[in-house]
Amino acid sequence: MSYLGGSSQVVGRGYNTSNDPFQSSPLPSTVSYHVPLHRALLDVGIFRDTILPSLQLHAPLAILAYGIGRATNSVEAKDWLWPIAPMANGWWSAVGRKMYSRGLTFGQAVGTLSRPERLLLTGVTLWGGRLFYRIASRSIKRRRRVKGADDPRYEAEKLEEGYWNKALFTLFLPEAVVQTIISLPITAPFHHQGAALTGYHPAVQVLAVALFSAGFALEVLADVQLERFKGSAQGKTSVCKDGVWSLVRHPNYLGDALIHLSFPLLLYGSDMLAPIEVLGGIANYFFLRYVGGDKQTEQHQKRRYSESNPEKLADFEKFQETHNSFWPRADVLTNKWLWIVVGAGAVGAAMEQVIHS
């Protein structure tokens, strides 16, 4: 856990239960030590202890999803990995490794987790569980209507010549790398024996739980309200602008971003944040904004509406003029749904404090 050389020390995270600050123990009292930031970023061991363990899980899962997708002509197979892989990675990193390497029972392995570590694991489970339900239910409904139907966002690109011959290297494996980076805040703390950035800040922990709760509430509300709108007569000629959809054009993606930003914030407040773990929230944000999130969704919406529903296309284009895609405009300060989401964040943080106390 520690490496001494002359007057300098490079020490990693440990669990302290005695007067010896370097004694390893399974009890949940996390101790983090500090080394210079530049040294932490350049330490090859960090990549060995953080990136590689996750990539060894995500890459084989991506290859499996590619095989299933190619056999069924379904690009959507990769989407099922977005909730499943990070959840599996988080639980393996936090609990499974201890059961395998130390011979602990499930209860004993969970018992070794500190409060921040339990919050991380709870967070990724709630986030992944909701996303898995969303993807699975949407896919099942679509396939009941049309046997073998893929997500319509991918139909155009599948028309490219030799699409499946290159999709493994242009889509499935690159997304596995992105998932590996996004998962850093929920996996690396259980692998990495490196530097932390700050001291212990309980107020920041509360803020992180509030941010997660607000993001999770935003996602759930967006799902429920969109499904209700799609089933209405209004949904045939216009896009959803009710509820949290009156805040931004893609409240579900905003909620997802808030959740993933809450993870490194929690680590920061718990004296557990290594510099490399900041990349998780940043990578998730850029992916949602510029690769597979609102950009891809709106390209598909425009193409679909222009081909089959001109009235809905006109309404969508008007919506683009009046509402931001991701971050709310200043005028939403008077929107009740903003304060409902903020209130949900405050309630979540308060409930966690009550449970903790």
Side-chain angles (χ1 to χ4, degrees), residues 34-98:
H34 304 263
V35 300
L37 179 61
H38 70 277
R39 187 170 187 174
L41 288 171
L42 297 177
D43 185 357
V44 175
I46 289 179
F47 295 96
R48 180 195 62 216
D49 296 334
T50 56
I51 297 289
L52 291 182
S54 290
L55 194 57
Q56 289 170 352
L57 172 68
H58 288 280
L61 287 176
I63 294 173
L64 176 62
Y66 169 76
I68 295 173
R70 179 160 190 161
T72 59
N73 194 33
S74 175
V75 181
E76 187 184 37
K78 71 177 182 60
D79 291 344
W80 289 65
L81 291 183
W82 280 97
I84 293 174
M87 279 198 299
N89 203 348
W91 277 95
W92 168 254
S93 300
V95 177
R97 289 171 62 244
K98 295 175 182 178

Side-chain angles (χ1 to χ4, degrees), residues 154-181:
Y154 306 128
E155 292 296 350
E157 61 188 64
K158 284 196 300 184
L159 297 176
E160 298 176 10
E161 184 177 355
Y163 173 80
W164 282 109
N165 292 334
K166 58 186 179 181
L168 176 64
F169 302 102
T170 60
L171 185 62
F172 284 76
L173 285 179
E175 286 201 6
V177 175
V178 174
Q179 290 171 14
T180 296
I181 298 172

Side-chain angles (χ1 to χ4, degrees), residues 1 3 20 35 97 106 112 117 152 161 169 184 195 234 306 344:
M1 299 293 291
Y3 306 90
D20 180 1
V35 300
R97 289 171 62 244
F106 176 80
T112 66
E117 290 170 337
E161 184 177 355
F169 302 102
L184 282 172
Q234 189 180 7
S306 63

Side-chain angles (χ1 to χ4, degrees), residues 4 16 101 177 195 267 316 318 320:
L4 308 179
N16 182 25
S101 61
V177 175
L267 294 174
F316 174 68
K318 184 177 179 181
Q320 286 182 308

Side-chain angles (χ1 to χ4, degrees), residues 134 138 142 145 150-156 226-227 229-230 235-240 245 250 295-314 316-317:
R134 177 67 176 166
R138 187 173 57 190
R142 186 190 315 114
R145 292 194 302 266
D150 198 0
D151 189 318
R153 291 177 298 172
Y154 306 128
E155 292 296 350
L226 182 61
E227 285 302 310
F229 180 81
K230 285 181 176 179
K236 297 178 181 179
T237 57
S238 61
V239 296
C240 184
W245 295 86
H250 299 284
K295 180 181 179 180
Q296 182 186 52
T297 298
E298 294 204 346
Q299 286 176 343
H300 165 68
Q301 285 178 297
K302 281 191 172 183
R303 181 173 62 248
R304 181 159 58 97
Y305 298 158
S306 63
E307 293 173 353
S308 60
N309 200 328
E311 188 176 357
K312 200 167 187 176
L313 175 63
F316 174 68
E317 290 176 339

Side-chain angles (χ1 to χ4, degrees), residues 15 25-30 93-95 98-99 102 104-115 117-118 190:
Y15 294 96
S25 166
L27 295 181
S29 177
T30 303
S93 300
V95 177
K98 295 175 182 178
M99 296 174 64
R102 301 187 200 173
L104 301 180
T105 65
F106 176 80
Q108 289 172 333
V110 171
T112 66
L113 301 178
S114 65
R115 172 179 167 244
E117 290 170 337
R118 288 175 185 240
F190 305 104

